[in-house]
């Protein structure tokens, strides 16, 4: 299958390993991955902070860039959620019915990584090997917006060598929420403290999730407390093999 890859801003600027792992994984499974160089930001940050008009060019850019592809993958439940639930809404809000229809069409072909693997490619065992004790944090947008459900867990359960441990109060938010963590720092910090307490209680070496943004928030806290627990994107675990 030919799959277009939308890398996201965070992968491009801060966490390139998540993007590279996504490509390695899909190519190992026998698929062709293409990277349209015209891509930029999905506009989620603008939309969520009230700058919908400023996000309109980004919505248009995404639709123009990816309209020619049948399948698009995003290593982020957050960005996938924005594309699927906000793009057409923004276009409609500013009277661009044509862009709204185009955005809906492209959004229907846009998948978060675990969705792509299980719902489209029909695979749960991707041939990964990762000999570590791991706990999984279901990020808010993955859980509530795109409703990925247990798909990431189903993938992790098939990883050889991986000891998957349940995260207490897993569905509670980590407190990041993009600019929420900046505008409501004290509340965000309290939510993060609860999340870190639960992660450390599992005895896991690694906390994984499908969003680099939440992992950045959680990882920063775990590092400052010197817990020894690392944060690793789901794609990096699934891309790992005995020889890597």
């Amino acid at each position: 299958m030919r799959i277009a890859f939308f890398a996201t801003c965070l992968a491009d600027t801060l966490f390139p390993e998540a993007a590279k792992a996504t490509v390695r994984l899909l190519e190992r499974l026998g698929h062709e991955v293409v990277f349209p160089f015209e891509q930029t930001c999905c506009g989620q940050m603008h939309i969520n902070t009230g700058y919908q008009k400023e996000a309109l060019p980004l919505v248009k850019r995404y639709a123009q860039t990816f309209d020619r592809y049948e399948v698009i993958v995003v290593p982020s439940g957050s960005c996938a959620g924005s594309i699927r639930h906000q793009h057409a809404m923004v276009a409609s809000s500013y009277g661009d019915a044509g862009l709204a229809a185009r955005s809906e069409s492209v959004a229907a072909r846009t998948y978060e990584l675990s969705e792509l693997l299980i719902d489209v490619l029909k695979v749960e065992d991707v041939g990964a090997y990762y000999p570590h004790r791991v706990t999984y944090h279901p990020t808010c947008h993955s859980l509530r917006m795109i409703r990925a459900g247990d798909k990431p867990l189903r993938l992790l359960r098939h990883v050889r060598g991986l000891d998957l441990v349940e995260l207490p109060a897993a569905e509670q938010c980590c407190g990041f929420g993009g600019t929420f963590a900046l505008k409501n720092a004290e509340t965000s910090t309290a939510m993060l403290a609860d999340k870190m307490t639960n992660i450390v209680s599992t005895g896991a070496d690694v906390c994984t999730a499908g969003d680099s943004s939440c992992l950045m928030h959680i990882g920063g806290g775990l590092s400052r407390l010197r817990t020894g627990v690392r944060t690793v994107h789901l794609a990096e675990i699934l891309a790992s093999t005995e020889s890597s």
Side-chain angles (χ1 to χ4, degrees), residues 20 22 36 41 45 49 65 67 104-105 112 149 179 224-225:
K20 290 189 281 188
T22 301
C41 173
M45 178 177 67
T49 49
T65 301
D67 194 23
E104 283 188 0
S105 174
E112 179 268 340
T179 55
R224 285 190 295 274
L225 293 181

Side-chain angles (χ1 to χ4, degrees), residues 80-147:
S82 179
I83 292 161
R84 294 225 295 260
H85 294 276
Q86 295 178 327
H87 278 198
M89 176 269 292
V90 169
S92 296
S93 296
Y94 289 94
D96 195 333
L99 176 60
R102 194 178 190 185
S103 293
E104 283 188 0
S105 174
V106 179
R109 291 176 264 136
T110 300
Y111 300 90
E112 179 268 340
L113 179 60
S114 70
E115 292 181 309
L116 175 75
L117 291 168
I118 289 181
D119 294 341
V120 181
L121 304 182
K122 307 298 183 184
V123 59
E124 292 192 19
D125 187 345
V126 298
Y129 173 75
Y130 195 76
H132 299 282
R133 187 176 175 89
V134 177
T135 194
Y136 169 71
H137 166 61
T139 65
C140 290
H141 285 160
S142 292
L143 187 68
R144 300 174 176 89
M145 203 169 194
I146 65 170
R147 301 188 182 278

Side-chain angles (χ1 to χ4, degrees), residues 17-197:
E17 288 308 315
K20 290 189 281 188
T22 301
V23 175
R24 286 200 310 273
L25 169 62
L26 294 175
E27 289 183 342
R28 189 178 79 221
L29 293 174
H31 303 283
E32 178 189 1
V33 182
V34 294
F35 182 86
F37 286 100
E38 305 92 336
Q39 65 181 276
T40 54
C41 173
C42 70
Q44 177 188 181
M45 178 177 67
H46 307 68
I47 299 168
N48 289 350
T49 49
Y51 293 93
Q52 292 191 13
K53 186 176 182 179
E54 287 75 10
L56 191 60
L58 297 171
V59 171
K60 186 176 295 185
R61 171 63 71 98
Y62 185 86
Q64 290 175 340
T65 301
F66 289 97
D67 194 23
R68 62 185 182 271
Y69 299 102
E70 290 303 313
V71 176
I72 304 113
V73 65
V74 187
S76 164
S78 183
C79 294
S82 179
I83 292 161
R84 294 225 295 260
H85 294 276
Q86 295 178 327
H87 278 198
M89 176 269 292
V90 169
S92 296
S93 296
Y94 289 94
D96 195 333
L99 176 60
R102 194 178 190 185
S103 293
E104 283 188 0
S105 174
V106 179
R109 291 176 264 136
T110 300
Y111 300 90
E112 179 268 340
L113 179 60
S114 70
E115 292 181 309
L116 175 75
L117 291 168
I118 289 181
D119 294 341
V120 181
L121 304 182
K122 307 298 183 184
V123 59
E124 292 192 19
D125 187 345
V126 298
Y129 173 75
Y130 195 76
H132 299 282
R133 187 176 175 89
V134 177
T135 194
Y136 169 71
H137 166 61
T139 65
C140 290
H141 285 160
S142 292
L143 187 68
R144 300 174 176 89
M145 203 169 194
I146 65 170
R147 301 188 182 278
D150 68 344
K151 293 181 180 69
L153 289 169
R154 287 159 61 184
L155 293 162
L156 289 169
R157 290 183 186 120
H158 284 88
V159 176
R160 287 177 297 115
L162 188 148
D163 178 15
L164 183 62
V165 290
E166 184 177 352
L167 177 64
E171 296 186 1
Q172 290 184 7
C173 177
C174 72
F176 179 61
T179 55
F180 173 84
L182 300 175
K183 295 180 178 180
N184 304 277
E186 291 184 359
T187 303
S188 173
T189 300
M191 295 169 74
L192 174 62
D194 289 343
K195 180 61 65 174
M196 290 191 298
T197 297

Side-chain angles (χ1 to χ4, degrees), residues 208-227:
T208 191
D211 277 279
S212 292
S213 53
C214 297
L215 290 174
M216 174 177 65
H217 186 59
I218 295 168
L222 292 170
S223 175
R224 285 190 295 274
L225 293 181
R226 300 183 181 181
T227 62

